[in-house]
Amino acid sequence: MSSKPGTITKWDDEKGFGFITPKAGGRSVFLHIKDFSKKHQRPRQGLSVIYSLSKDKKGRVCASKVFPQVVENEFSRADSQMIIALILGILFMCALIVLIIYNKLPSFLMIYYLAVSAVTFIIYATDKSAARAGEWRTRERTLHIFSLIGGWPGAAIAQSFLRHKSKKVKFRSVFWLTVIINCGILALFLTPDGAHQLDVIFKCINLGN
């Protein structure tokens, strides 16, 4: 069967399906992620594709052997935000190292941020896997809480490399809010009063050990 040109006019990245509108006109065709080329980036709304028509087990018409019509060279706005978040996370960790070296912050904060970021990345990866398998999902509130308490660098890496939670505008807006709040709290620890409170916390941790 010959290939046809079309545009993905609807796409749910969490559930892994959407619809292709033929460029020649006519009814939209169902598309599942398993029928999209694995050699290219994941589908997105507005992407021009080439596809063939097939039928599922129930005899319904659907798209198969779907490929991007043109390999994309331009970054979308969401791609740009992911790169910015990734670079910001790397710069943040470098700045944290410098502040620790100059005794502006205690070294346990680096261990803390690395640990929480690692856990956050694992949670994102697990949620991504669950989304593809149609299993129980992690609440977005939980993802935001982990970002807020210091796991946002790990979240930034997960969003960039796993391409998870990278398209939803509302989620991204709350994510950036958690980054601002977390960095703001850390900045307070650089003030005299904040440094005193952090010193008290550090002493309590040492007593606990």
Side-chain angles (χ1 to χ4, degrees), residues 62-205:
C62 60
S64 65
K65 300 179 180 178
V66 185
F67 298 86
Q69 190 169 18
V70 178
V71 177
E72 297 174 276
N73 292 318
E74 296 183 358
F75 286 110
S76 65
R77 182 178 179 182
D79 291 328
S80 299
Q81 287 187 353
M82 286 190 297
I83 292 176
I84 291 172
L86 180 60
I87 293 175
L88 182 60
I90 294 173
L91 291 176
F92 172 81
M93 299 304 287
C94 290
L96 196 59
I97 292 173
V98 172
L99 290 170
I100 291 172
I101 291 175
Y102 284 92
N103 295 317
K104 298 295 183 180
L105 291 172
S107 58
F108 80 84
L109 277 180
M110 174 58 72
I111 299 174
Y112 172 81
Y113 270 97
L114 288 174
V116 178
S117 291
V119 172
T120 303
F121 182 91
I122 292 172
I123 293 174
Y124 266 79
T126 302
D127 188 53
K128 178 77 171 184
S129 177
R132 289 179 171 177
E135 298 175 350
W136 181 84
R137 302 289 307 282
T138 303
R139 291 183 178 182
E140 290 187 350
R141 181 186 301 177
T142 301
L143 298 177
H144 289 316
I145 289 175
F146 273 89
S147 292
L148 181 62
I149 64 175
W152 66 266
I157 293 174
Q159 291 171 18
S160 298
F161 288 94
L162 301 180
R163 302 189 68 81
H164 188 48
K165 297 293 185 181
S166 59
K167 303 294 184 181
K168 296 179 68 175
V169 177
K170 183 178 179 181
F171 183 90
R172 297 285 299 171
S173 298
V174 178
F175 166 74
W176 281 111
L177 181 60
T178 63
V179 173
I180 293 172
I181 293 175
N182 181 264
C183 290
I185 293 173
L186 187 62
L188 290 176
F189 287 141
L190 296 174
T191 64
D193 290 339
H196 173 70
Q197 294 298 324
L198 192 59
D199 185 57
V200 172
I201 294 173
F202 182 62
K203 289 179 179 178
C204 290
I205 292 175

Side-chain angles (χ1 to χ4, degrees), residues 6-109:
T7 303
I8 299 178
T9 49
K10 291 184 179 180
W11 180 254
D12 189 327
D13 197 55
E14 299 298 318
K15 297 180 179 178
F17 69 80
F19 292 89
I20 298 174
T21 297
K23 289 192 175 180
R27 289 186 176 183
S28 296
V29 183
F30 180 80
L31 164 66
H32 193 276
I33 186 63
K34 65 180 178 61
D35 294 305
F36 191 83
S37 170
K38 294 180 175 60
K39 297 181 180 179
H40 299 88
Q41 295 182 358
R42 287 177 67 83
R44 64 173 177 80
Q45 190 167 315
L47 179 65
S48 295
V49 295
I50 297 293
Y51 66 99
S52 298
L53 291 178
S54 181
K55 290 186 178 181
D56 61 17
K57 295 179 180 180
K58 295 183 179 180
R60 296 173 296 189
V61 177
C62 60
S64 65
K65 300 179 180 178
V66 185
F67 298 86
Q69 190 169 18
V70 178
V71 177
E72 297 174 276
N73 292 318
E74 296 183 358
F75 286 110
S76 65
R77 182 178 179 182
D79 291 328
S80 299
Q81 287 187 353
M82 286 190 297
I83 292 176
I84 291 172
L86 180 60
I87 293 175
L88 182 60
I90 294 173
L91 291 176
F92 172 81
M93 299 304 287
C94 290
L96 196 59
I97 292 173
V98 172
L99 290 170
I100 291 172
I101 291 175
Y102 284 92
N103 295 317
K104 298 295 183 180
L105 291 172
S107 58
F108 80 84
L109 277 180

